[in-house]
Amino acid sequence: MSFWSDQRVIVTGGAGFLGSFVVDGLKARGCSHIVIPRSRECDLRDRDAIRKLFRETKPTLVLHLAAVVGGIGANQKHPGQFFYDNAIMGIELIEQARQFQLPKLVVVGTICAYPKFTPVPFKEDELWNGYPEETNAPYGIAKKALLVQCQAYRQEYGLNAVFLLPVNLYGPRDNFDPASSHVIPALIKKCVDAHNRGDKFIECWGTGSATREFIYVADAAEGILAAAERYNKPAPVNIGSGMEISIRDLTTLIAKLTGFTGEIRWDKSKPDGQPRRCLDTTRAASEFNFRAQTPFEEGLRATIKWYEENLAARDLQAGRRQA
């Protein structure tokens, strides 16, 4: 708690999904000086806007969570935007942190930075042993470039910049827009909406054979804050839960938890994405004593409950109007 009492913290992306939980964690730790720049007021692609933000707020710590993200479909539709926006935001922020002589910077990367065929579980030392999965490579490479910048700036300028690699997130407040959502919110929406409409089947992308690891968003936020408190080294660190589940089994589980009893159809013309994802989380445990705490089914139930209480009725009504 004493670490946070005098910190002046900028949380880029602090109004977003992960960022809102990080801000909750900061407040719970007694941090009273929190700045959340909004894109309409501070375009993080603009160096002058970042310079003005630093000059006016005088941060002692920056947590860089802001990103342009989406599922496989969104990555395929906007590879140029995903590359440019994510790269330039990070590059300009890290450069201004150096010029400002910021005491500490935490940059949040992505699991998509890993090579397509990384041995499971993914160890941080495998990051450079191949090209990322093609459907999200522009996003993954843009984020991985920021790791290089963090390490280079530490070596040449002494900037205390650390780099974290969170696995796929899920939880309340997630993005449930089918045009840009990730797999868990997309499946929850499909199953809840289909159950409410009385549909006899849902359709899912791919074969269902790909595997993924997921971490509950509140756990990921705790990992980021633990690294901010206690980690000061150049090596990247995985933030994950250490579990692995196939998309087919995940879909079956979500269908059961939402009460959907219809058929699950697989559109094999659509891509599966990376064949397997599961992280080695020993570095986070040894370096700053972080271990995810939320059981997967418990986290899914909380996420489903949030969607049902906040968005399901609205989405069902919108679907009826479109029909």
Side-chain angles (χ1 to χ4, degrees):
M1 295 296 181
S2 60
F3 172 86
W4 295 104
S5 59
D6 296 324
Q7 295 284 350
R8 297 186 301 279
V9 185
I10 292 176
V11 185
T12 71
F17 174 43
L18 173 59
S20 68
F21 283 88
V22 169
V23 171
D24 287 349
L26 287 169
K27 291 177 180 176
R29 285 162 167 77
C31 182
S32 57
H33 303 286
I34 306 169
V35 177
I36 304 170
R38 304 303 294 265
S39 58
R40 62 179 176 270
E41 300 161 354
C42 179
D43 185 345
L44 294 175
R45 298 169 298 182
D46 182 346
R47 69 183 59 175
D48 291 333
I50 300 171
R51 189 177 293 133
K52 181 174 182 286
L53 175 66
F54 278 28
R55 187 171 60 246
E56 291 179 350
T57 62
K58 298 179 172 56
T60 58
L61 171 67
V62 173
L63 307 177
H64 179 46
L65 280 60
V68 177
V69 299
I72 291 175
N75 274 272
Q76 288 183 309
K77 188 175 182 180
H78 302 291
Q81 179 191 352
F82 277 34
F83 179 84
Y84 176 80
D85 286 351
N86 286 293
I88 203 66
M89 282 193 293
I91 288 169
E92 292 293 356
L93 188 76
I94 295 167
E95 169 62 12
Q96 293 309 313
R98 174 192 76 82
Q99 293 191 24
F100 187 76
Q101 297 184 321
L102 182 74
K104 187 167 186 178
L105 171 65
V106 177
V107 176
V108 175
T110 175
I111 185 79
C112 299
Y114 274 99
K116 181 176 182 177
F117 298 109
T118 306
V120 174
F122 294 10
K123 297 180 184 295
E124 291 92 344
D125 294 340
E126 297 284 345
L127 263 174
W128 299 101
N129 293 337
Y131 193 76
E133 201 282 320
E134 293 82 1
T135 58
N136 52 33
Y139 169 61
I141 291 171
K143 284 289 192 178
K144 189 154 61 171
L146 305 183
L147 167 61
V148 177
Q149 188 181 7
C150 285
Q151 292 174 330
Y153 277 39
R154 179 184 289 271
Q155 179 181 339
E156 183 170 355
Y157 307 119
L159 177 66
N160 185 13
V162 303
F163 192 87
L164 307 177
L165 292 155
V167 77
N168 299 59
L169 306 174
Y170 74 102
R173 311 176 202 165
D174 205 343
N175 169 28
F176 288 85
D177 182 347
S180 57
S181 59
H182 289 98
V183 62
I184 284 183
L187 288 173
I188 289 173
K189 177 175 171 56
K190 277 180 184 287
C191 289
V192 171
D193 292 1
H195 174 70
N196 290 341
R197 289 191 301 260
D199 294 349
K200 294 182 179 180
F201 70 91
I202 61 170
E203 191 171 89
C204 302
W205 276 29
T207 65
S209 62
T211 68
R212 292 292 180 267
E213 174 183 340
F214 300 95
I215 185 170
Y216 192 60
V217 63
D219 287 344
E222 287 297 310
I224 291 166
L225 294 173
E229 291 170 3
R230 300 191 291 276
Y231 187 65
N232 298 288
K233 296 180 180 179
V237 183
N238 289 333
I239 302 293
S241 61
M243 60 81 74
E244 184 180 16
I245 186 171
S246 73
I247 298 301
R248 185 175 294 274
D249 289 345
L250 172 67
T251 305
T252 301
L253 177 58
I254 289 175
K256 183 185 79 170
L257 295 177
T258 58
F260 175 70
T261 56
E263 180 187 359
I264 298 169
R265 298 178 181 176
W266 296 93
D267 181 355
K268 297 179 182 179
S269 69
K270 296 294 195 296
D272 279 321
Q274 192 163 25
R276 294 182 68 187
R277 282 184 185 171
C278 185
L279 297 182
D280 182 313
T281 58
T282 55
R283 184 175 290 176
S286 63
E287 290 289 349
F288 45 91
N289 197 33
F290 171 71
R291 296 171 181 82
Q293 300 297 317
T294 306
F296 186 52
E297 190 165 320
E298 178 184 319
L300 282 179
R301 289 184 185 276
T303 309
I304 292 166
K305 183 173 185 287
W306 187 89
Y307 177 70
E308 290 176 332
E309 291 179 348
N310 291 273
L311 300 177
R314 182 206 69 182
D315 291 352
L316 184 61
Q317 191 65 32
R320 285 172 177 162
R321 284 198 301 268
Q322 289 175 2

